[in-house]
Amino acid sequence: TSRDGQSWEKAGDLAAGEGGSDTIQHARKEARYLRLEIEAAAENQPVEIREISLCSAEGNDDPVFSYSFAAKKKRRGLYPLQFLKEQVFWTLVGLPGDFAESLLDEYGNFEPTWKSGSLMPYLWLNNRILSAADADRITQSLEKNYLPLPTVTWESKPVALNVRALARGAANRDSASYVLYTLKNTSDRPQKGRFFLAVRPVQMNPTWQYGGLSPIESLEYREVFGGRGVFVGNRLWCVLWPAPAGTAARAFAQGDIMEDLARGQFPESRGLTNAGPQISGALAYDFDLQSGQEKSVLVAAPLHDSTSDIEALAKDLQAAPLDPRPLFEREHGRQAAFWTGVVDRVTFDLPQKDLVEMIKAQLSYIEINRDGPSIQPGSRNYKRAFLRDGCLTSASLLRMGFVDEV
C-alpha cells in the first residue's frame, strides 16, 4: 500500500492461494494506492483477477469473522449455518440427573459436551460434496414421539442418511452418548463414494446465544477400544467403530477442513498441534453400496472422565466390529424401555394424543436438564437454577408423579 504512489509498505501476503476466492487479511492500513505483486498462479494458467473487494477492518482479527467470511464463499450447508446468521435448532441427549449432556441438531450434527466442538456429517458422491442442505427432505423425530431418543433423516437419492442418538451408563460417573450414522442406497443402481465426519471447533449455539467457537489447539487420532479415538487437547473426545479409512487435520487458513473436502482433497494426517486454536479435521469412510444396502458408523462420546461404559460396549462390539448397528439397536430398545418407565407414571385419558406426547416429552427433558437435585431450565445457557422456574417445574413434576425428584 502507499499514500503517494512512490513509497510502498507490505500489507500482507498469501503463500497458498487456491485459485478461487482468496482472502488476504492484514493489519489496519490507511492508503491511497494498492498494488498486487503476483509471483505465480495457483495452477499452470495465466493469472486472471475477476474481482477485488476491500472489506472493513472491523473484526479482521476475530476468528468468528474469519469463519463467517469463509462460510459466505461456500455453498450453503458446507459451513455451520450460524456463520450465515441462521438459527439452528437442537435437542438434548442425556440421562436423568446427569450434570453433562450432548446435543444433536436438526441436521444431524453432534456436540458431545458443552463447549467441546462438533462432529458434522457430509457425503462425497459423484465428485461433489453434499451436506444436509442438499437433501431432498430432512425429518426429525423422537422414539414413540415423546421419548428423548432423537432421529434425523436426510431423505434423498441416491443415498440417504439416518442419524440416531442415545445416552447410557451411570449418570455423573461413566455415562456416554452414542450416535449411529447409517447410509442407505435409495437408488436402483450401485453407489460408490465417501462419508465424512468433520471435527470442527464450533458449538451448536451461535455467538448471539453465547456460543460460537470452541478452540481446538490439538487434534490427534489414536487406536482405542478396538476403534479410532479422536483426542482433543489430549482428552478422549469420541471413539468411532469401525475404524475409518483415513483421518485428516488442518489449521485454519482461509477456511477449515471443508476447503479440502469440497475440492475432493483429503490432507491425510494422524493429528495436528501448535497450529493455532481453530484446528479442524475429518474421518473418512469409503462406501460401495448395492441398491437397498446400508452401512453404519457408531460414535461414542464420554460425558465424564471415566470411559468404563464405552469400554464395556466395545467388548460387546468385538463379535461384529464392522457392523455396530445390531448392538446399537439392542441398546436403543433398552433405553426406550427405560425412558418409558420414567415418564409413564401418570395415565392420560385424552383424545388429543399429540398433547399427551408433548407433556411426556417435556417430562423427559426436565429430567435430562436436572443436575442431581438441581432443577433447572436448560443444559447450556440456562444451566442454572431459578426460583421462579424451579417452583413452577416442581409443581408440574409433583402432578406427574415425580415426588422423589422434587
Side-chain angles (χ1 to χ4, degrees):
T1 59
S2 174
R3 291 175 177 268
D4 57 10
Q6 302 297 321
S7 299
W8 296 88
E9 294 182 355
K10 182 178 180 179
D13 56 17
L14 180 65
E18 299 171 358
S21 178
D22 292 318
T23 306
I24 302 176
Q25 291 182 275
H26 56 83
R28 182 187 298 268
K29 291 281 185 179
E30 291 187 5
R32 187 175 182 182
Y33 299 92
L34 174 67
R35 185 176 71 193
L36 298 180
E37 296 180 355
I38 302 175
E39 298 180 358
E43 300 177 357
N44 190 23
Q45 298 286 341
V47 174
E48 177 184 357
I49 299 175
R50 182 169 299 175
E51 181 180 348
I52 295 177
S53 298
L54 301 180
C55 302
S56 168
E58 182 180 356
N60 189 44
D61 56 352
D62 179 4
V64 173
F65 174 87
S66 299
Y67 244 102
S68 299
F69 201 92
K72 292 173 183 177
K73 296 191 298 178
K74 283 289 185 286
R75 196 172 77 247
R76 180 181 179 274
L78 299 188
Y79 275 82
L81 295 181
Q82 63 173 281
F83 298 116
L84 298 179
K85 301 298 183 183
E86 294 186 33
Q87 183 71 51
V88 174
F89 300 96
W90 47 257
T91 190
L92 286 169
V93 180
L95 294 172
D98 206 328
F99 280 73
E101 301 83 23
S102 301
L103 304 183
L104 185 74
D105 80 6
E106 59 183 305
Y107 301 112
N109 301 316
F110 175 58
E111 179 181 291
T113 55
W114 189 27
K115 297 184 178 180
S116 68
S118 300
L119 195 66
M120 303 183 173
Y122 296 93
L123 289 174
W124 178 261
L125 196 63
N126 298 324
N127 293 316
R128 188 169 186 255
I129 193 76
L130 301 175
S131 72
D134 299 299
D136 298 331
R137 181 168 176 256
I138 300 176
T139 62
Q140 304 86 19
S141 62
L142 298 177
E143 183 70 15
K144 296 172 65 173
N145 291 329
Y146 64 88
L147 299 180
L149 302 171
T151 297
V152 176
T153 303
W154 300 6
E155 297 180 358
S156 58
K157 289 187 176 182
V159 177
L161 175 66
N162 180 266
V163 186
R164 303 166 72 191
L166 62 85
R168 71 165 217 175
N172 300 314
R173 291 205 300 271
D174 66 356
S175 54
S177 293
Y178 299 86
V179 182
L180 186 74
Y181 292 90
T182 301
L183 300 171
K184 182 177 182 179
N185 182 351
T186 54
S187 72
D188 57 1
R189 297 180 180 180
Q191 297 296 329
K192 188 175 182 179
R194 265 196 156 186
F195 174 58
F196 296 117
L197 286 170
V199 179
R200 278 175 153 156
V202 181
Q203 301 177 49
M204 290 292 180
N205 276 335
T207 52
W208 58 89
Q209 289 183 318
Y210 309 103
L213 297 176
S214 283
I216 294 180
E217 298 179 348
S218 172
L219 178 63
E220 185 179 1
Y221 305 102
R222 305 180 203 163
E223 305 298 327
V224 62
F225 308 143
R228 185 66 52 84
V230 179
F231 289 78
V232 174
N234 208 34
R235 182 182 184 276
L236 181 62
W237 193 63
C238 70
V239 188
L240 298 93
W241 300 276
T247 56
R250 169 190 168 114
F252 190 92
Q254 301 192 77
D256 68 4
I257 191 67
M258 183 51 64
E259 301 300 316
D260 296 298
L261 302 183
R263 295 196 302 270
Q265 300 176 1
F266 195 75
E268 196 79 37
S269 172
R270 297 286 291 184
L272 184 63
T273 188
N274 296 325
Q278 275 82 51
I279 294 174
S280 59
L283 302 99
Y285 290 86
D286 297 321
F287 63 85
D288 189 354
L289 302 175
Q290 299 300 310
S291 178
Q293 189 177 7
E294 298 179 343
K295 180 174 182 175
S296 296
V297 176
L298 178 61
V299 178
L303 296 177
H304 306 281
D305 291 337
S306 174
T307 58
S308 56
D309 189 78
I310 295 177
E311 294 177 52
L313 183 132
K315 291 180 181 178
D316 292 339
L317 267 175
Q318 290 177 357
L322 298 181
D323 186 10
R325 186 175 50 175
L327 180 59
F328 183 88
E329 294 288 358
R330 185 194 75 185
E331 295 305 313
H332 193 272
R334 289 177 175 176
Q335 289 302 311
F338 165 76
W339 278 107
T340 298
V342 170
V343 301
D344 282 0
R345 303 184 187 184
V346 174
T347 300
F348 292 87
D349 185 11
L350 292 173
Q352 297 94 341
K353 183 181 177 182
D354 56 347
L355 178 60
V356 176
E357 292 170 346
M358 181 272 292
I359 293 173
K360 291 183 177 181
Q362 297 314 304
L363 289 173
S364 299
Y365 290 117
I366 288 172
E367 277 293 276
I368 295 177
N369 282 325
R370 178 172 61 85
D371 286 358
S374 177
I375 295 175
Q376 50 195 21
S379 66
R380 293 299 190 261
N381 292 333
Y382 283 88
K383 195 177 180 67
R384 64 192 73 178
F386 295 88
L387 287 177
R388 176 200 60 192
D389 296 42
C391 290
L392 292 172
T393 305
S394 296
S396 300
L397 288 175
L398 288 172
R399 296 188 68 178
M400 295 296 107
F402 287 75
V403 177
D404 292 340
E405 290 79 0
V406 177

